[in-house]
Amino acid sequence: GAVVSQHPSRVICKSGTSVKIECRSLDFQATTMFWYRQFPKQSLMLMATSNEGSKATYEQGVEKDKFLINHASLTLSTLTVTSAHPEDSSFYICSATGTGGGFSYNEQFFGPGTRLTVL
Amino acid sequence: SQELEQSPQSLIVQEGKNLTINCTSSKTLYGLYWYKQKYGEGLIFLMMLQKGGEEKSHEKITAKLDEKKQQSSLHITASQPSHAGIYLCGADKIGGAQKLVFGQGTRLTINP
């Protein structure tokens, strides 16, 4: 149980285009999903927290107009990188926390990640 | 700000040898998590520690949280090629409502 998927796993796009990444909780309901970015040989940096049915909260330094987050249902959150540029190339990972019995308060389940390359 | 410092940053070990990875916090830890990541993949949860002095084991991996709750160590006994990867410690962000902060990771290579 507690599986999180991401789609696509890898995407290459031209500079200036927008890219949408999906994060799904497959067998549980996730009220909160987190989006992280990881540059090569660096740790995960939290970008934003997404709560179902409300606006995402962004970490300091993350442009909310560039990284659009939508959490329309309890199993799906999307991250759209708008007008992508080469410096946006990175590994994007989402995580989700479950609700109800059987889940610890802060137990996060991570997706497999999406590698974005902007040419 | 709350920071986690991992050491060493990289480690090359002969198969069968023991090894230890450390994670030190600038502030008291209220929840400390160890994850393993293979390059280009997501994170695999290993263990969570909350109480000072707590120690947990899973197969050949043991994690400890010191009494002051500012340092954790991950110890692997008789390392195997399957242990290779990046080990990340994460901690509950103080006042962060389920947010986690991560150390920079330790890249472990196991030589046959």
Side-chain angles (χ1 to χ4, degrees):
Chain A
V3 177
V4 176
S5 70
Q6 278 185 243
H7 179 79
S9 59
R10 187 181 294 266
V11 58
I12 301 172
C13 69
K14 292 183 178 180
S15 184
T17 61
S18 294
V19 175
K20 180 185 284 189
I21 302 170
E22 293 184 348
C23 177
R24 292 182 186 273
S25 57
L26 298 185
D27 48 6
F28 67 101
Q29 293 185 331
T31 51
T32 304
M33 289 184 171
F34 302 88
W35 286 96
Y36 296 85
R37 180 167 52 184
Q38 184 179 35
F39 291 107
K41 296 187 179 181
Q42 294 186 24
S43 189
L44 276 70
M45 296 299 294
L46 180 65
M47 298 175 66
T49 303
S50 167
N51 290 295
E52 185 265 336
S54 62
K55 289 184 179 180
T57 55
Y58 292 80
E59 295 300 299
Q60 192 172 8
V62 178
E63 300 174 60
K64 62 180 181 180
D65 294 330
K66 182 167 185 62
F67 299 99
L68 300 179
I69 293 172
N70 184 280
H71 193 159
S73 77
L74 285 171
T75 59
L76 174 64
S77 176
T78 60
L79 168 69
T80 301
V81 183
T82 62
S83 186
H85 291 283
E87 58 265 29
D88 297 324
S89 298
S90 187
F91 192 60
Y92 292 86
I93 304 178
C94 71
S95 71
T97 56
T99 72
F103 291 100
S104 299
Y105 169 70
N106 204 15
E107 187 173 12
Q108 294 188 24
F109 302 96
F110 286 82
T114 297
R115 182 162 301 282
L116 170 64
T117 303
V118 184
L119 302 176
Chain B
S1 64
Q2 186 178 4
E3 293 181 353
L4 293 178
E5 188 73 28
Q6 281 185 242
S7 63
Q9 291 188 23
S10 66
L11 190 56
I12 301 173
V13 174
Q14 196 77 25
E15 183 178 353
K17 296 294 186 182
N18 303 336
L19 63 105
T20 300
I21 299 169
N22 294 302
C23 176
T24 303
S25 172
S26 56
K27 300 185 180 181
T28 300
L29 296 163
Y30 291 97
L32 189 285
Y33 307 80
W34 283 100
Y35 292 90
K36 179 185 175 184
Q37 182 184 27
K38 290 192 173 181
Y39 179 73
E41 297 183 14
L43 275 64
I44 300 169
F45 172 77
L46 296 175
M47 275 170 278
M48 181 182 84
L49 304 166
Q50 287 184 302
K51 300 177 183 177
E54 187 175 7
E55 179 176 322
K56 288 186 177 178
S57 293
H58 176 68
E59 297 180 346
K60 294 186 178 180
I61 301 176
T62 301
K64 301 178 185 179
L65 182 62
D66 74 338
E67 289 289 345
K68 292 184 178 179
K69 295 172 61 175
Q70 284 192 275
Q71 184 167 356
S72 178
S73 61
L74 185 82
H75 185 77
I76 298 177
T77 305
S79 58
Q80 299 170 352
S82 61
H83 289 129
I86 300 168
Y87 288 83
L88 290 156
C89 65
D92 290 335
K93 185 174 182 180
I94 296 171
Q98 292 187 304
K99 295 180 182 179
L100 293 178
V101 292
F102 286 91
Q104 76 274 38
T106 296
R107 185 178 295 272
L108 174 63
T109 302
I110 307 293
N111 284 337

